[in-house]
Amino acid sequence: MTAVGATVKEPGSSVKNKTGSWRTFKPVLDKDKCIDCENCFLFCPEGCITKENEIDYDYCKGCGICAEECPVKAIKMERG
Amino acid sequence: MKVITANRAIAEAVKLSKPKVVPVYPITPQTTISEYLATFVANGDLPAEYIRVESEHSAISAAVGASGTGVRVFTATSSQGLALMHEILFAAAGLRNPIVMGNANRALSAPLSIWNDQQDSISQRDTGWMQFFAESAQEALDLVLQAYKISENENVLLPSMVCVDGYYLTHTVEPVDIPTQEEVDEFLPPYRPKHAYLDPKDPMSLGTFTDPNYYMEARYDMEVAMEGAKNIIRTVNKEFEEKFGRKYDLVENYMCDDAEIILVAMGSICGTIKAVIDNMRKEGHKIGLLRVIAFRPFPKEDIYSTVKNADRIAVLDKNISFGIGGVLFNEIKAKMDVDARGFILGLGGRDVSNDDIRNIIKITKESTESDKINWIGLKEEEV
Amino acid sequence: MEIPEQEFLAAGHRGCAGCGATIGARLALKMLGENTVAVSATGCLEVITTPYPETSWKVPWIHVAFENSAAVASGVERALKSQGKDDVNVVVFAGDGGTADIGLQSLSGAMERGHRIIYICYDNEAYMNTGVQRSGATPYGASTTTSPHGKESFGEDKPKKNIPMIMAAHGVPYVATASISYPEDFMKKVKKAAEMEGPAYIHLHQPCTTGWGYDPSKTIEMGRLAVDTGAWILYEIVDGEFKVTYRPLQRKPVNEYLNAQKRFKHLADEEKEKIQNYVNQVCAELKI
Ligand SMILES: Cc1ncc(C[n+]2csc(CCOP(=O)(O)OP(=O)(O)O)c2C)c(N)n1
Ligand code: SF4
Ligand code: SF4
Ligand code: SF4
Ligand SMILES: [Mg+2]
């Protein structure tokens, strides 16, 4: 059944949709190189990198923005 | 008792209903509603947020936004303004916002006309709004109060339009009984929605994007709500009668029980028709009037049970769907097995006289062409 | 500036990989926090975030139509006020089409009335949701599906409509331009906007991988190039006081920006020069 007015009462419920399956290249983050600039956290369109530099691969679409914007090249895009 | 216009009566009803937000844009012949409400707010008689929007499109949009937060909302318009709202009327109904709107029925341009017919609201029949047509200023007031209670019923949650004929009702005065605030408060409880509201303490998303898996059920729900609204209207009508002593129904049966010819019409014209019937009854003619008060939901059962024993019915439309005739006429013909004649009259404020009504009755009796679109009051020499 | 970790736009949305619109919405919501109601105009951001029965929004959110988000927000703001909830931020996210074109009237009305709303136009310089048609905010020379280049056309033949200045002319107490590529600058502006008594307008430049034609990884790079070449200028106007908020140390040639995108690829040197001259003129006035 469609809810009255098609209202969605479950905030943030799009997490049911695991967009990680869209990915062809995978960002791999080297915490030893990281200087905690927060660029990857700020710029990820999915909001799937935490401030602690954990990448949630369930949602990462592999866009490569994080790798591109990392000032110390701590993130590499790898196949798979 | 106050001697006032229907516009004033609507404004009084709005004040008594205590909406929290009133976005409204002026247009003849609705304008005085927007002015009365502005004055009420300015004088502190109506503690509402009056939004001086820049268009009717924004009036209804702001109404939807406000209603979305879970408060009672009122707006009013007419003709071009209602047409401008068209897109958002669907949204208001689809979002299940129980907004109440006053519509001063007026013809649509072109050619430009500021006078009455009912093309404007009839043209919005598929938007999901309920439509109630008043015959008098008293009814306009009473219908606004009832419209809130019907719209806000959790099994309905559809917006309502209370329609009053431009000038005939909006600008002529008559005695109107204005209930007290206490009486109205007892009749109309505050609006507390459960289905949707915008509140940071309980975040939800309103107006989402549905794919073909979900859209139809949402529309079906609205159909169920609209059909179900008929019983809720009857219940509210009864509660209203108990409280205020004035009787309402989806339709009014005026001398139909033994009538051979029954006229079917909506709005202020019914006053004229009743006067003609009274006279013709004295002359021995069995004529009746079925006045449609609720046009949406469409009271097909009530219409049929009232007119089914008549020899013939005459349906009077102040609107035209080109090539097929009056909308009310066609809807009645589509929904019931009756011998009906259709009449187009009163477009753009064209006067309808007692003789016109007598003529309609005569044509109905005599005409063998059930499909003919009969234009009444047309100046034959001008066409 | 301490940037909150908490996300108010959930993952799982259907935006293209590398979408700049969601970056903008994420960053703005971080500054506004949970005590916020969001209003969206029809467009990419609305469609990708609310595929029923899911939503990415963690704050209350409403969408009504394409052209009326400012009017809807007006109603929301007044209704919240009527309930004593004056402290709730009301933010609008509307695209450049929903702002510069079809929604300009309702935006003008809302701004003139002085509602306490934060209107963020996320500007990807075309109608992306419907397949990259031109808008009033499409820049000169850009090829879109309704301003395509061809034998008789070099693409869009009109310069970008200057909406922030039109907003400033309304006397809006806070008007700013921003870019998703300068997140601190943008987020500070959102914070300021939220602190205003009256309306605030932020015009957020937002590169779009699909519509502009560049690799998804370059979304931030593209926004940066726009600012560093002077093609997009970051400023704010607080109570009528104009201030550039970021000046590139050395302005780059505009060709670096144009040549990186498919939508400008077709341009002849002559047209590119015109664009450079126009940028030079604007930058000279602002001493950039
Ligand atoms: C009244 C109306 N006209 C046209 C459309 C079709 N339409 C939907 S979104 C859109 C373009 C949106 O462009 P923009 O505002 O720039 O947002 P974007 O998709 O680029 O994020 C159009 C033309 C519509 N939904 N409503
Ligand atoms: S590749 Fe893109 S989606 Fe994946 S973590 Fe990096 S920025 Fe986010
Ligand atoms: S962008 Fe690079 S350096 Fe900065 S936080 Fe991410 S991984 Fe660390
Ligand atoms: S078309 Fe552009 S704005 Fe729309 S979702 Fe894709 S990247 Fe984002
Ligand atoms: Mg756009």
Coordinates of all heavy atoms in Angstrom, one line a residue, chain C residues 67-121:
Chain C
E67 N 8.2 25.4 -9.8 CA 8.4 26.9 -9.8 C 8.0 27.6 -8.5 O 8.0 28.8 -8.5 CB 7.5 27.5 -11.0 CG 6.0 27.3 -10.8 CD 5.5 25.9 -11.0 OE1 6.3 25.0 -11.4 OE2 4.4 25.6 -10.7
N68 N 7.6 26.8 -7.5 CA 7.0 27.5 -6.4 C 7.7 27.2 -5.0 O 7.1 27.5 -4.0 CB 5.5 27.0 -6.3 CG 5.4 25.6 -5.9 OD1 6.4 24.8 -5.9 ND2 4.2 25.1 -5.7
S69 N 8.9 26.8 -5.1 CA 9.6 26.4 -3.8 C 9.6 27.6 -2.8 O 9.5 27.4 -1.6 CB 10.9 25.8 -4.0 OG 11.7 26.6 -4.8
A70 N 9.9 28.8 -3.4 CA 9.9 30.0 -2.5 C 8.6 30.3 -1.8 O 8.5 30.7 -0.7 CB 10.4 31.2 -3.2
A71 N 7.5 30.1 -2.6 CA 6.2 30.3 -2.1 C 5.8 29.2 -1.0 O 5.2 29.5 0.0 CB 5.1 30.3 -3.2
V72 N 6.2 28.0 -1.3 CA 5.9 26.9 -0.4 C 6.7 27.2 0.9 O 6.1 27.1 2.0 CB 6.4 25.5 -1.0 CG1 6.3 24.4 0.1 CG2 5.6 25.2 -2.2
A73 N 7.9 27.6 0.8 CA 8.7 28.0 2.0 C 8.1 29.1 2.7 O 8.2 29.1 4.0 CB 10.2 28.3 1.5
S74 N 7.5 30.1 2.0 CA 6.8 31.2 2.7 C 5.7 30.6 3.6 O 5.6 31.1 4.7 CB 6.2 32.1 1.7 OG 7.1 32.6 0.7
G75 N 5.0 29.7 3.1 CA 3.9 29.1 3.9 C 4.4 28.3 5.0 O 3.9 28.4 6.1
V76 N 5.5 27.6 4.8 CA 6.1 26.7 5.9 C 6.6 27.7 7.0 O 6.3 27.5 8.2 CB 7.2 25.9 5.3 CG1 8.0 25.3 6.5 CG2 6.7 24.8 4.4
E77 N 7.3 28.7 6.6 CA 7.9 29.6 7.6 C 6.8 30.3 8.4 O 6.9 30.3 9.6 CB 8.7 30.7 6.8 CG 9.4 31.7 7.8 CD 8.9 33.1 7.7 OE1 7.8 33.3 7.1 OE2 9.5 33.9 8.3
R78 N 5.8 30.8 7.7 CA 4.7 31.5 8.5 C 3.9 30.5 9.4 O 3.5 30.8 10.5 CB 3.8 32.2 7.6 CG 4.4 33.4 6.9 CD 4.7 34.5 7.9 NE 5.4 35.6 7.2 CZ 4.8 36.6 6.6 NH1 3.5 36.7 6.8 NH2 5.4 37.5 6.0
A79 N 3.8 29.3 8.9 CA 3.0 28.3 9.7 C 3.8 27.9 10.9 O 3.3 27.7 12.0 CB 2.7 27.1 8.8
L80 N 5.1 27.8 10.7 CA 6.0 27.4 11.9 C 5.9 28.6 12.9 O 5.8 28.4 14.1 CB 7.4 27.1 11.4 CG 7.6 25.9 10.6 CD1 9.0 25.8 10.1 CD2 7.4 24.6 11.5
K81 N 6.0 29.8 12.4 CA 5.9 31.0 13.2 C 4.6 31.0 14.0 O 4.6 31.3 15.2 CB 6.0 32.2 12.4 CG 6.2 33.5 13.1 CD 6.5 34.6 12.2 CE 6.4 36.0 12.8 NZ 5.7 37.0 12.0
S82 N 3.5 30.6 13.3 CA 2.2 30.6 14.0 C 2.1 29.6 15.1 O 1.3 29.7 16.0 CB 1.1 30.4 13.0 OG 1.0 29.0 12.7
Q83 N 3.1 28.6 15.1 CA 3.1 27.6 16.1 C 4.2 27.9 17.2 O 4.5 27.1 18.0 CB 3.3 26.2 15.5 CG 2.3 25.8 14.5 CD 2.7 24.6 13.7 OE1 2.7 23.4 14.2 NE2 3.2 24.8 12.5
G84 N 4.8 29.1 17.1 CA 5.8 29.5 18.0 C 7.2 28.8 17.7 O 8.1 28.8 18.5
K85 N 7.3 28.2 16.5 CA 8.5 27.5 16.2 C 9.4 28.4 15.3 O 9.9 28.0 14.2 CB 8.2 26.2 15.4 CG 7.4 25.2 16.2 CD 7.1 24.0 15.4 CE 6.2 23.0 16.1 NZ 5.6 22.0 15.2
D86 N 9.6 29.6 15.8 CA 10.4 30.6 15.0 C 11.9 30.2 14.8 O 12.6 30.7 14.0 CB 10.4 32.0 15.7 CG 9.0 32.4 16.0 OD1 8.2 31.7 16.7 OD2 8.7 33.6 15.6
D87 N 12.3 29.3 15.7 CA 13.7 29.0 15.7 C 14.1 27.9 14.6 O 15.3 27.7 14.4 CB 14.1 28.4 17.0 CG 13.3 27.2 17.4 OD1 12.1 27.1 17.1 OD2 13.9 26.2 18.0
V88 N 13.1 27.4 13.9 CA 13.4 26.4 12.9 C 13.9 27.1 11.6 O 13.3 28.0 11.1 CB 12.1 25.6 12.6 CG1 12.4 24.5 11.5 CG2 11.6 24.9 13.8
N89 N 15.0 26.5 11.1 CA 15.5 27.0 9.8 C 14.7 26.5 8.7 O 14.4 25.3 8.6 CB 17.0 26.5 9.5 CG 17.9 27.0 10.6 OD1 18.0 28.2 10.8 ND2 18.7 26.1 11.1
V90 N 14.3 27.4 7.8 CA 13.6 26.9 6.6 C 14.5 27.1 5.4 O 14.9 28.3 5.1 CB 12.2 27.7 6.4 CG1 11.5 27.2 5.1 CG2 11.3 27.5 7.6
V91 N 14.9 26.0 4.8 CA 15.9 26.2 3.7 C 15.3 25.6 2.4 O 14.6 24.6 2.4 CB 17.2 25.4 4.0 CG1 17.0 23.9 4.2 CG2 18.3 25.6 2.9
V92 N 15.5 26.4 1.3 CA 15.1 25.9 0.0 C 16.3 25.4 -0.8 O 17.3 26.1 -0.8 CB 14.4 27.1 -0.8 CG1 14.0 26.6 -2.2 CG2 13.2 27.6 0.0
F93 N 16.1 24.3 -1.5 CA 17.1 23.9 -2.5 C 16.4 23.9 -3.9 O 15.5 23.1 -4.1 CB 17.6 22.5 -2.2 CG 18.5 22.4 -1.0 CD1 17.9 21.9 0.2 CD2 19.8 22.8 -1.0 CE1 18.7 21.9 1.4 CE2 20.6 22.8 0.2 CZ 20.1 22.3 1.3
A94 N 16.8 24.8 -4.7 CA 16.1 24.9 -6.0 C 17.2 25.0 -7.1 O 18.3 25.6 -6.8 CB 15.2 26.0 -6.1
G95 N 17.0 24.3 -8.2 CA 18.0 24.4 -9.3 C 18.0 25.8 -9.9 O 17.2 26.6 -9.6
D96 N 18.9 25.9 -10.9 CA 19.0 27.2 -11.6 C 17.8 27.4 -12.4 O 17.3 28.5 -12.6 CB 20.3 27.2 -12.5 CG 20.5 26.0 -13.3 OD1 20.6 24.9 -12.7 OD2 20.4 26.1 -14.5
G97 N 17.2 26.3 -13.0 CA 16.0 26.5 -13.7 C 14.8 26.9 -12.8 O 14.1 27.8 -13.1
G98 N 14.7 26.2 -11.7 CA 13.7 26.5 -10.7 C 13.8 27.9 -10.1 O 12.9 28.4 -9.4
T99 N 15.0 28.5 -10.3 CA 15.3 29.8 -9.7 C 15.3 30.9 -10.7 O 14.5 31.9 -10.6 CB 16.6 29.8 -9.0 OG1 16.6 28.7 -8.0 CG2 17.0 31.1 -8.3
A100 N 16.1 30.8 -11.7 CA 16.3 31.9 -12.7 C 15.2 32.0 -13.7 O 15.0 33.1 -14.2 CB 17.7 31.7 -13.4
D101 N 14.6 30.8 -13.9 CA 13.5 30.9 -15.0 C 12.1 30.8 -14.3 O 11.6 31.8 -13.9 CB 13.7 29.7 -16.0 CG 15.0 29.8 -16.7 OD1 15.6 30.9 -16.7 OD2 15.5 28.8 -17.3
I102 N 11.6 29.6 -14.2 CA 10.2 29.4 -13.9 C 9.9 29.8 -12.5 O 8.7 30.1 -12.2 CB 9.9 27.9 -14.2 CG1 8.3 27.7 -14.4 CG2 10.4 27.0 -13.1 CD1 8.0 26.4 -15.0
G103 N 10.8 29.8 -11.6 CA 10.5 30.1 -10.2 C 10.9 31.6 -9.8 O 10.7 31.9 -8.6
L104 N 11.3 32.4 -10.8 CA 11.7 33.7 -10.4 C 10.7 34.6 -9.8 O 10.9 35.4 -8.8 CB 12.3 34.4 -11.7 CG 13.0 35.7 -11.4 CD1 14.2 35.6 -10.4 CD2 13.6 36.3 -12.7
Q105 N 9.4 34.5 -10.2 CA 8.4 35.3 -9.7 C 8.1 34.9 -8.2 O 8.0 35.8 -7.4 CB 7.1 35.1 -10.5 CG 5.9 35.8 -9.9 CD 4.6 35.5 -10.6 OE1 4.6 35.5 -11.8 NE2 3.5 35.3 -9.9
S106 N 8.0 33.7 -7.9 CA 7.7 33.3 -6.6 C 8.8 33.6 -5.6 O 8.7 34.0 -4.5 CB 7.2 31.8 -6.5 OG 8.3 30.9 -6.4
L107 N 10.1 33.5 -6.2 CA 11.2 33.9 -5.4 C 11.2 35.4 -5.1 O 11.4 35.8 -4.0 CB 12.5 33.5 -6.2 CG 13.8 34.0 -5.6 CD1 14.1 33.4 -4.2 CD2 15.0 33.6 -6.5
S108 N 10.9 36.1 -6.1 CA 10.9 37.6 -6.0 C 9.8 38.0 -4.9 O 10.1 38.8 -4.0 CB 10.5 38.3 -7.3 OG 10.3 39.6 -7.1
G109 N 8.7 37.3 -5.0 CA 7.6 37.6 -4.0 C 8.1 37.3 -2.6 O 7.9 38.1 -1.6
A110 N 8.7 36.1 -2.4 CA 9.0 35.7 -1.1 C 10.1 36.6 -0.5 O 10.1 36.9 0.7 CB 9.5 34.2 -1.2
M111 N 11.1 37.0 -1.4 CA 12.2 37.8 -0.9 C 11.7 39.2 -0.5 O 12.1 39.8 0.5 CB 13.3 37.9 -2.0 CG 14.0 36.6 -2.1 SD 14.9 36.2 -0.6 CE 15.3 34.4 -0.8
E112 N 10.8 39.7 -1.3 CA 10.2 41.0 -1.0 C 9.4 41.0 0.3 O 9.5 41.9 1.1 CB 9.3 41.4 -2.2 CG 8.5 42.6 -2.1 CD 7.3 42.5 -3.0 OE1 7.4 42.1 -4.1 OE2 6.2 42.9 -2.5
R113 N 8.7 39.9 0.5 CA 8.0 39.8 1.8 C 8.8 39.7 3.0 O 8.4 39.9 4.1 CB 7.0 38.6 1.7 CG 5.8 38.8 0.7 CD 4.8 37.8 0.9 NE 5.3 36.4 0.6 CZ 5.3 35.9 -0.7 NH1 4.8 36.6 -1.7 NH2 5.7 34.7 -0.8
G114 N 10.1 39.2 2.8 CA 11.0 39.2 3.9 C 10.9 38.0 4.8 O 11.2 38.1 6.0
H115 N 10.4 36.9 4.3 CA 10.4 35.7 5.1 C 11.7 35.3 5.6 O 12.7 35.4 4.9 CB 9.8 34.5 4.3 CG 8.4 34.7 3.8 ND1 7.3 34.5 4.6 CD2 7.9 35.2 2.6 CE1 6.2 34.8 3.9 NE2 6.5 35.2 2.7
R116 N 11.8 34.7 6.7 CA 13.1 34.2 7.2 C 13.3 32.8 6.6 O 13.1 31.8 7.2 CB 13.0 34.1 8.8 CG 14.4 34.4 9.4 CD 14.5 34.0 10.8 NE 15.7 33.2 10.9 CZ 15.7 31.9 11.3 NH1 14.6 31.3 11.7 NH2 16.9 31.3 11.4
I117 N 13.8 32.8 5.4 CA 14.1 31.6 4.7 C 15.5 31.7 4.1 O 16.0 32.8 3.8 CB 13.1 31.2 3.6 CG1 13.0 32.3 2.5 CG2 11.7 31.0 4.2 CD1 12.0 31.9 1.4
I118 N 16.2 30.6 4.0 CA 17.5 30.5 3.3 C 17.3 29.8 2.0 O 16.9 28.6 1.9 CB 18.5 29.7 4.2 CG1 18.5 30.3 5.6 CG2 19.8 29.6 3.5 CD1 18.8 29.3 6.7
Y119 N 17.4 30.6 1.0 CA 17.1 30.0 -0.4 C 18.5 29.7 -1.0 O 19.3 30.6 -1.2 CB 16.4 31.1 -1.2 CG 15.9 30.5 -2.5 CD1 14.5 30.2 -2.7 CD2 16.8 30.4 -3.6 CE1 14.1 29.7 -3.9 CE2 16.3 29.9 -4.8 CZ 15.0 29.6 -5.0 OH 14.5 29.1 -6.2
I120 N 18.7 28.5 -1.3 CA 20.0 28.1 -1.9 C 19.6 27.6 -3.4 O 18.9 26.6 -3.6 CB 20.7 26.9 -1.1 CG1 21.0 27.4 0.3 CG2 21.9 26.5 -1.9 CD1 21.7 26.4 1.2
C121 N 20.2 28.4 -4.3 CA 20.0 27.9 -5.7 C 21.3 27.1 -6.0 O 22.4 27.6 -6.0 CB 19.9 29.1 -6.6 SG 20.1 28.7 -8.4

